[in-house]
């Protein structure tokens, strides 16, 4: 059985604890990567992106930076800081340092969790100084929080989950104590990783159908326009597709003039397209001229479901432009266009979008694309030109969408911008889906 290549990422002391637990699992082979400064996280992840199947982070902060960056395609997990790990640190402080618990500042832990640990430990005081956060937060910010409390005399010590924060605080003279991952928390996370791997293996065996359509006429000129030339192009395409189908252990079927279907598995096609980000085989696009080949990929539990999804994906690819490739996954999520620097991921089956579609003249697919674009850009404001760029449609079509939303109270003009001094100002809309 092929081992799972698990990337362990975190501070050096945390990695040592994780390694001691992971080595007991024959299912894993480990690649350990330690970091010290926040600035190193993305650089070190980039260096090892192709060396692992899954990532296990020592804590929430490096995981948060990696998630915000968005460059990791493999599943990511982190070891949560549990109450038992905090209890060990508190016991050390009480036994060795004799520092009152109401004079300690904490980071990362949720206030309710801290109160529960204090209550279960029969500690009569209530924790007062807590810097709770979700996702990534700069180490300097955490250090500043603890240091200011200590400097003003409000606290006598700090409890942190970050090794570099502990180091900086100690340099500043602040008694700082580290909460390390516990073996029980690591074991629980590894169980989740194994479960996720089993689910992914099941998905990899799902049926994948790749529906390919090409324009036989695109490479013909007036002098070569004949049925014989078209037939030659069809033969050439068939030969190339047979070669490509062999590479992905697929089966090629003709589906009429200029259209072919390849049956394979989810895992093989996902690997070929680098997790559905690149066009399956660029050589195919060069067979019949520029932008001649359009492709739809469908994933499903059955051949019929996958083929229906592939047809839907092909229709969506045509909506963008000839030569595009789109994917419809088994949960009806649509991804694409493949090979483009800007991809969007959207669905069309939510009740909320169905209701909005009924209120407007816009389709569920259009609303879903818009929702996905707003999520991708991280804000609710957009102009017609930018919307057109993201949707691969004409600006006038984008203006029609925004105007329709405005008329139904789902968007409002919140400003204007003028990128060109002599051009017409562009209205900025705030979307309220």
């Amino acid at each position: 059985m092929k081992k799972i290549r698990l990337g362990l990422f975190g501070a050096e002391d945390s990695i040592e604890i994780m390694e001691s637990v992971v080595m007991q699992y024959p299912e894993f082979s480990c690649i350990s990567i330690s970091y010290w400064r926040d600035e190193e996280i993305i650089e070190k992840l980039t260096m090892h992106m192709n060396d692992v199947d899954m990532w296990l982070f020592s804590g929430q902060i490096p995981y948060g930076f990696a998630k915000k960056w968005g460059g990791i395609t493999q599943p990511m997990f982190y070891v949560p800081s549990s109450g038992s790990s905090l209890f060990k640190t508190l016991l050390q402080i009480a036994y060795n340092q004799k520092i009152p618990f109401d004079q300690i500042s904490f980071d990362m832990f949720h206030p309710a969790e801290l109160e529960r640990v204090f209550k279960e430990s029969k500690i009569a005081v209530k924790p007062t100084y807590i810097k709770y956060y979700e996702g990534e937060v700069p180490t300097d910010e955490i250090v500043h929080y603890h240091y200011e409390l200590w400097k003003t005399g409000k606290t006598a010590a700090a409890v942190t989950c970050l090794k570099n924060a502990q180091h900086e605080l100690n340099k500043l003279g602040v008694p700082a104590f580290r909460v390390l991952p516990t073996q029980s928390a690591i074991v629980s996370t590894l169980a989740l990783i194994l479960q996720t791997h089993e689910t992914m293996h099941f998905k990899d065996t799902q049926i994948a159908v790749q529906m390919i359509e090409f324009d036989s006429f695109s490479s013909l000129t007036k002098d070569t326009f004949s049925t014989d030339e078209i037939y030659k192009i069809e033969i050439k395409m068939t030969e190339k597709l047979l070669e490509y189908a062999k590479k992905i252990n697929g089966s090629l079927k003709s589906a009429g003039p200029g259209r072919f279907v390849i049956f394979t598995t989810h895992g093989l096609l996902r690997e070929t397209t680098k997790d559905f980000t690149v066009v399956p085989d660029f050589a195919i696009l060069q067979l019949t001229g520029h932008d001649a080949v359009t492709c739809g990929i469908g994933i499903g539990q059955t051949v019929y479901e996958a083929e229906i999804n592939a047809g839907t994906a092909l229709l969506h690819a045509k909506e963008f432009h000839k030569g595009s490739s789109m994917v419809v996954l088994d949960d009806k999520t649509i991804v694409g266009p493949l090979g483009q620097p800007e991809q969007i991921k959207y669905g069309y089956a939510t009740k909320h979008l169905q209701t909005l579609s009924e209120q407007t003249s816009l389709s569920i697919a259009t609303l879903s694309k818009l929702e996905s674009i707003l999520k991708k850009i991280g804000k609710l404001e957009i102009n017609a030109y930018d919307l057109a760029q993201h949707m691969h449609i004409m600006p006038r079509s984008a203006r029609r969408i925004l105007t329709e939303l405005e008329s139904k109270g789902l968007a409002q003009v919140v400003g204007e911008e003028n990128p060109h001094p002599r051009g017409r100002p562009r209205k900025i809309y705030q979307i309220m889906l």
Side-chain angles (χ1 to χ4, degrees):
M1 181 180 175
K2 186 179 177 181
K3 291 192 174 186
I4 304 168
R5 298 176 302 168
L6 185 63
L8 303 181
F9 193 97
E12 192 172 345
D13 53 356
S14 296
I15 289 217
E16 289 177 1
I17 298 172
M18 292 194 292
E19 283 177 335
S20 68
V21 178
V22 175
M23 66 183 296
Q24 302 172 35
Y25 288 76
E27 298 93 337
F28 296 109
S29 65
C30 289
I31 298 173
S32 300
I33 306 152
S34 61
Y35 82 101
W36 182 253
R37 299 186 306 274
D38 296 342
E39 297 77 22
E40 300 174 352
I41 294 176
I42 305 306
E43 179 186 350
K44 292 199 171 186
L45 287 172
T46 304
M47 290 170 56
H48 298 277
M49 277 179 58
N50 299 321
D51 301 331
V52 305
D53 301 312
M54 293 185 171
W55 290 94
L56 177 58
F57 293 86
S58 62
Q60 189 173 317
I61 294 243
Y63 171 86
F65 274 103
K67 188 175 181 181
K68 184 178 181 181
W69 171 48
I72 299 294
T73 57
Q74 302 94 335
M76 299 188 300
F77 304 83
Y78 71 89
V79 181
S81 296
S82 62
S84 57
S85 60
L86 174 62
F87 179 76
K88 285 174 59 178
T89 306
L90 291 175
L91 187 62
Q92 176 190 356
I93 295 172
Y95 186 78
N96 295 327
Q97 306 297 325
K98 314 296 184 187
I99 298 173
F101 290 131
D102 58 353
Q103 295 179 24
I104 301 174
S105 56
F106 300 85
D107 64 54
M108 204 207 75
F109 287 96
H110 192 282
E113 186 178 9
L114 271 177
E115 288 182 20
R116 179 183 61 80
V117 172
F118 274 46
K119 186 176 181 180
E120 290 178 356
S121 304
K122 307 299 182 183
I123 299 173
V125 301
K126 185 177 180 180
T128 306
Y129 306 106
I130 309 166
K131 184 171 180 60
Y132 171 67
Y133 53 84
E134 293 180 351
E136 82 292 341
V137 60
T139 300
D140 292 346
E141 186 177 322
I142 292 175
V143 172
H144 178 75
Y145 170 77
H146 290 296
Y147 178 68
E148 288 300 315
L149 288 170
W150 176 81
K151 188 175 68 172
T152 55
K154 295 178 180 177
T155 60
V159 170
T160 180
C161 296
L162 288 176
K163 182 178 177 64
N164 47 353
Q166 180 193 27
H167 177 76
E168 292 300 319
L169 287 167
N170 285 336
K171 282 172 58 178
L172 292 169
V174 183
F177 302 89
R178 175 93 185 283
V179 178
L180 287 165
T182 61
Q183 291 195 0
S184 59
I186 297 169
V187 167
S188 298
T189 309
L190 290 176
L192 180 60
I193 291 174
L194 288 172
Q195 184 180 0
T196 303
H197 183 263
E198 287 181 13
T199 302
M200 289 178 62
H201 177 71
F202 169 74
K203 280 187 170 291
D204 281 349
T205 60
Q206 288 179 315
I207 302 297
V209 172
Q210 187 174 344
M211 197 170 287
I212 298 167
E213 186 175 281
F214 75 99
D215 183 0
S216 305
F217 300 96
S218 63
S219 62
L220 296 176
T221 64
K222 291 181 180 179
D223 297 331
T224 61
F225 194 92
S226 69
T227 53
D228 287 344
E229 291 299 322
I230 295 173
Y231 186 57
K232 285 181 183 178
I233 293 172
E234 291 267 357
I235 293 175
K236 187 179 181 182
M237 173 63 96
T238 303
E239 290 174 348
K240 282 289 185 180
L241 287 177
L242 281 169
E243 183 182 333
Y244 165 69
K246 186 177 179 181
K247 288 181 182 178
I248 60 172
N249 293 329
S251 173
L252 177 69
K253 306 293 180 188
S254 175
R259 181 176 288 185
F260 296 86
V261 177
I262 297 175
F263 298 88
T264 183
T265 63
H266 184 179
L268 287 168
L269 207 50
R270 180 173 57 82
E271 184 178 344
T272 300
T273 59
K274 299 188 185 302
D275 203 21
F276 300 118
T277 58
V278 301
V279 176
D281 192 331
F282 191 72
I284 294 175
L285 295 179
Q286 297 174 323
L287 287 173
T288 55
H290 181 65
D291 286 345
V293 178
T294 308
C295 173
I297 296 172
I299 310 297
Q301 303 288 349
T302 64
V303 175
Y304 177 76
E305 182 186 351
E307 197 167 355
I308 292 296
N309 287 343
T312 303
L314 185 63
L315 291 174
H316 280 273
K318 288 180 176 181
E319 281 185 9
F320 280 95
H321 57 76
K322 188 187 292 184
S324 295
S325 296
M326 299 288 289
V327 183
V328 173
L329 302 174
D330 58 331
D331 61 357
K332 304 304 179 184
T333 300
I334 304 166
V335 181
L338 307 190
Q340 297 294 323
E342 288 292 329
Q343 287 187 315
I344 57 174
K345 186 174 183 178
Y346 57 96
Y348 53 86
T350 66
K351 290 183 179 180
H352 174 62
L353 292 182
Q354 288 175 357
T355 302
L356 292 180
S357 180
E358 291 169 3
Q359 295 174 4
T360 66
S361 62
L362 304 175
S363 68
I364 295 174
T366 296
L367 290 166
S368 186
K369 288 178 188 178
L370 177 59
E371 191 175 57
S372 175
I373 289 165
L374 295 174
K375 185 176 180 181
K376 185 179 182 67
I377 64 177
K379 57 183 180 179
L380 300 178
E381 294 78 30
I382 196 167
N383 61 48
Y385 177 81
D386 290 338
L387 181 60
Q389 293 292 104
H390 283 288
M391 279 194 168
H392 297 269
I393 58 177
M394 297 297 290
R396 63 174 177 270
S397 299
R399 281 193 290 272
R400 183 187 69 80
I401 292 171
L402 294 171
T403 303
E404 174 66 14
L405 290 171
E406 184 185 20
S407 68
K408 297 299 188 294
L410 298 171
Q412 64 180 13
V413 177
V414 293
E416 288 185 345
E417 60 182 1
N418 196 348
H420 306 292
R422 297 185 180 180
R424 187 172 66 178
R426 294 172 181 169
K427 293 181 180 179
I428 301 173
Y429 290 83
Q430 184 181 63
I431 312 299
M432 298 166 287
L433 294 183

